[in-house]
Amino acid sequence: MKSQFPLFRKLCFSTVIILSACNSNINLNQMSKDNTVLGNLIKCDAYSGLPQQWLATKHAGMILIKGGTFQIGSNDHYPEERSVFQSERTVEDFWIDATEVTNAQFRSFIQATGYMTEAEQQGEAAVFIQPTQAVDELTWWKLVPSANWKQPTGPNSRPIADNEPVRMITLKDAMVYAEWLGREIPTEEQWEYAAKAFTQQRDVSASLDEKHMNANVWQGEFPYKNDKIDNFADVAPVGCFEANEFGLYDMIGNVWEYTQTPFIGSHDDHMGTEQQLHAHKTKVFNSYTIKGGSYLCASNYCARFRASARQPQEINLAISHVGFRTISKID
């Protein structure tokens, strides 16, 4: 599918959200910051779900990130996150969405292209259903007929909000959306670098301090009791909590986010680099890496509300706690 913005490769733009100049020597140390109406419960509730200048400028809703070197993974938590050898990674400059892709943004794609998601084609998707009594592990996930991005819990879903992250999307769906905009899905390295921002720490975690909640995660005993200290029992609108140092919202919690990096073990088992992803020998992978945790991650279960956290996600399974954001390389 061709990009909607073929002429943008030779033009320069400026919006309230992105600051750039028609100058090849632009100082990327002065990264553009998201100055829109997000960052707390009142502002996110009022957000339309569409960035300013949406579809009018190539990088609407995106933040310009200066590349650099960082330590990938964490050796303090789960085995798949460990990176003992070659943990230092370097990424180039790139643009990234300030928020997860919203229902409003995804709807504009559907309206423009007539695309049908894989969940709609399959006629079902995986939905979390909170149990009311003791159950076996993972039986809180159900394949629900007719669950899709428009009705995430099936025909009896509450109406979706335009400012919530789109869900029930497979990696293919996300990639087609990104291609429509002339963008890509981030690699794991790009995503984790953006999530860790300027920190000198090996990892970044959601705050569980009741007086300073900074992410939509599960408070209470999962899966039976959700105390909703963060004000949400389910997915939250994008940007309800403060941005990180790069100006990015919800990198931790709310929904897991797709990357284009195959999941084949710990960081020491695979590199997930540009070179590997674009190797001449074609490989088929069934699972790809998702990042950041979701509103279902709790202290007693999952506990992956961290920048280094990573999980495999089946390539063709749409599920109610996974979304995505896009990136764009520097022209």
Side-chain angles (χ1 to χ4, degrees), residues 59-206:
H59 295 122
M62 304 186 90
I63 298 292
L64 180 60
I65 304 293
K66 179 172 175 57
T69 299
F70 75 109
Q71 298 292 315
I72 199 168
S74 170
N75 298 325
D76 298 326
H77 298 95
Y78 294 102
E80 70 272 9
E81 301 169 21
R82 292 175 184 163
S83 181
V84 178
F85 307 104
Q86 301 183 57
S87 61
E88 187 172 278
R89 306 294 175 88
T90 300
V91 297
E92 301 297 325
D93 308 327
F94 63 98
W95 296 87
I96 187 168
D97 287 327
T99 73
E100 304 110 330
V101 173
T102 65
N103 286 315
Q105 289 173 291
F106 196 77
R107 183 183 298 110
S108 67
F109 158 65
I110 297 296
Q111 291 173 342
T113 64
Y115 180 79
M116 180 176 288
T117 64
E118 290 200 287
E120 291 172 292
Q121 297 175 50
Q122 295 164 0
E124 62 184 10
V127 177
F128 170 77
I129 299 177
Q130 185 174 353
T132 56
Q133 59 186 13
V135 297
D136 292 335
E137 186 174 3
L138 298 181
T139 57
W140 44 76
W141 290 106
K142 307 291 183 184
L143 281 174
V144 175
S146 300
N148 57 59
W149 76 274
K150 293 178 288 188
Q151 45 189 38
T153 59
N156 296 321
S157 292
R158 65 172 173 79
I160 60 172
D162 286 347
N163 58 2
E164 292 175 348
V166 65
R167 299 177 289 159
M168 298 307 192
I169 300 300
T170 65
L171 180 60
K172 175 188 174 184
D173 299 331
M175 286 181 163
V176 175
Y177 168 91
E179 185 180 5
W180 174 66
L181 290 172
R183 302 178 183 176
E184 299 178 10
I185 302 302
T187 65
E188 181 175 12
E189 290 178 342
Q190 290 169 325
W191 193 99
E192 190 167 323
Y193 178 79
K196 290 181 174 177
F198 291 116
T199 183
Q200 298 299 311
Q201 303 175 24
R202 187 70 185 264
D203 207 354
V204 174
S205 176

Side-chain angles (χ1 to χ4, degrees), residues 168-275:
M168 298 307 192
I169 300 300
T170 65
L171 180 60
K172 175 188 174 184
D173 299 331
M175 286 181 163
V176 175
Y177 168 91
E179 185 180 5
W180 174 66
L181 290 172
R183 302 178 183 176
E184 299 178 10
I185 302 302
T187 65
E188 181 175 12
E189 290 178 342
Q190 290 169 325
W191 193 99
E192 190 167 323
Y193 178 79
K196 290 181 174 177
F198 291 116
T199 183
Q200 298 299 311
Q201 303 175 24
R202 187 70 185 264
D203 207 354
V204 174
S205 176
S207 169
L208 300 181
D209 182 351
E210 295 183 12
K211 297 181 180 180
H212 187 241
M213 299 300 301
N214 64 357
N216 179 21
V217 298
W218 186 288
Q219 299 93 39
E221 183 187 0
F222 181 88
Y224 305 107
K225 184 176 185 292
N226 189 342
D227 295 329
K228 297 180 286 187
I229 298 172
D230 59 9
N231 295 292
F232 299 102
D234 193 359
V235 68
V238 301
C240 289
F241 302 92
E242 61 192 24
N244 73 5
E245 291 300 315
F246 279 160
L248 306 176
Y249 299 96
D250 303 313
M251 294 298 286
I252 309 299
N254 213 20
V255 290
W256 287 93
E257 299 184 20
Y258 284 115
T259 73
Q260 61 168 291
T261 301
F263 190 97
I264 51 175
S266 72
H267 291 294
D268 291 331
D269 295 325
H270 77 104
M271 297 294 289
T273 61
E274 288 285 320
Q275 182 178 3

